[in-house]
Amino acid sequence: MDIPSYSGGQVRSPAPISQRLPLIFRRLHRFNQMDFEQAVWQLGYLCLAPRRVYRNVYFHKQTKNTWARDDPAILVLIGACLFVSGIAWSFAYKYSVRQALELTALMIVRDYLLTGIVVASLLWVVSNRILVAPPSHSSPADSAVEWAYAFDVHTNAFFPFFLTLYIAQLFILPVVLKDNWVCLFLGNTLYLAGFAQYIYGVYLGLNALPFLIRSELFLSPLLPLFTAYIISLLGFNVAKHVLAVYFGF
């Protein structure tokens, strides 16, 4: 429970919840102010040259005093992509209209937003407690990873992951579900690529902050991921098991 602060002889009430939300969420209803052209450019480079997306992050901090983006256009575009993906997967599994809407809601709310909140919170805590460099003349004392920036990192890492496992997998669905080793290899490699892209994207986002040290820590999940991939090639079809759980078959 929030406790009102005391300042200057007056009790100051806490800010309303809406004001404590990251700016990018508070602006979701302002479609006429969103720069969709810039958002499309960013989504393209997140796949082709993700480092370019982070080149201007320091300039953004200097001009707007925040590391996080304040334009929610990219959230709207990813939500739209997930909606279309949910409809396409519903056709593949012959879902009813109601089931299709439920699936799209799950993809947007659970797969992207709720997962992003959890991941961003973990990145925020780990980065600020372990990886922030001691204050110096080159690292301002107020340097800290913003939660909203950590959510940006998740957003940027999620899009290549989405293209690999929500789009590419859909197009080769009949192949990855077949019972032979070549198809198993193809499907498992697709999952390896998707999760490796996400992990690398998280690393790039936090490595872009000049006051973080040992950001290579975020690449450490690649080792167990690759180990699990090698073991899975002995006969465990990842796609078949994941889709059976995801779609309830």
Side-chain angles (χ1 to χ4, degrees), residues 116-182:
I117 289 170
V118 172
V119 170
S121 299
L122 289 174
L123 296 178
W124 177 64
V125 170
V126 171
S127 298
N128 286 318
R129 291 192 176 182
I130 301 176
L131 305 181
V132 174
S136 67
H137 66 280
S138 60
S139 178
D142 63 345
S143 293
V145 179
E146 304 161 1
W147 187 92
Y149 181 82
F151 189 85
D152 278 353
V153 170
H154 159 72
T155 295
N156 294 342
F158 180 84
F159 188 67
F161 174 87
F162 161 78
L163 291 179
T164 301
L165 294 183
Y166 288 72
I167 302 301
Q169 182 178 205
L170 177 61
F171 281 102
I172 61 172
L173 186 61
V175 176
V176 298
L177 294 181
K178 287 185 178 179
D179 290 320
N180 63 68
W181 190 86
V182 174

Side-chain angles (χ1 to χ4, degrees), residues 54-240:
Y54 291 107
R55 282 182 182 175
N56 294 326
V57 66
Y58 188 75
F59 176 76
H60 189 274
K61 171 66 173 176
Q62 296 302 308
T63 56
K64 299 192 176 183
N65 197 32
T66 177
W67 296 103
R69 59 166 61 97
D70 54 3
D71 184 354
I74 196 168
L75 273 63
V76 175
L77 290 179
I78 289 179
C81 290
L82 285 166
F83 181 84
V84 173
S85 171
I87 298 300
W89 279 95
S90 297
F91 275 113
Y93 279 89
K94 297 180 173 60
Y95 274 10
S96 65
V97 173
R98 178 180 176 180
Q99 288 174 314
L101 293 175
E102 289 175 349
L103 178 62
T104 57
L106 282 176
M107 286 184 173
I108 296 171
V109 176
R110 181 190 62 189
D111 297 1
Y112 172 57
L113 291 175
L114 293 182
T115 300
I117 289 170
V118 172
V119 170
S121 299
L122 289 174
L123 296 178
W124 177 64
V125 170
V126 171
S127 298
N128 286 318
R129 291 192 176 182
I130 301 176
L131 305 181
V132 174
S136 67
H137 66 280
S138 60
S139 178
D142 63 345
S143 293
V145 179
E146 304 161 1
W147 187 92
Y149 181 82
F151 189 85
D152 278 353
V153 170
H154 159 72
T155 295
N156 294 342
F158 180 84
F159 188 67
F161 174 87
F162 161 78
L163 291 179
T164 301
L165 294 183
Y166 288 72
I167 302 301
Q169 182 178 205
L170 177 61
F171 281 102
I172 61 172
L173 186 61
V175 176
V176 298
L177 294 181
K178 287 185 178 179
D179 290 320
N180 63 68
W181 190 86
V182 174
C183 295
L184 178 148
F185 171 79
L186 179 62
N188 290 10
T189 302
L190 194 69
Y191 275 82
L192 172 69
F195 281 97
Q197 285 174 309
Y198 186 86
I199 293 168
Y200 182 65
V202 167
Y203 160 73
L204 285 181
L206 293 167
N207 188 58
L209 297 178
F211 55 85
L212 288 187
I213 57 176
R214 300 188 302 274
S215 55
E216 296 79 10
L217 172 69
F218 294 105
L219 292 175
S220 57
L222 288 175
L223 180 58
L225 175 67
F226 188 73
T227 302
Y229 166 72
I230 295 299
I231 294 173
S232 72
L233 295 181
L234 298 176
F236 185 83
N237 190 319
V238 175
K240 182 178 290 188

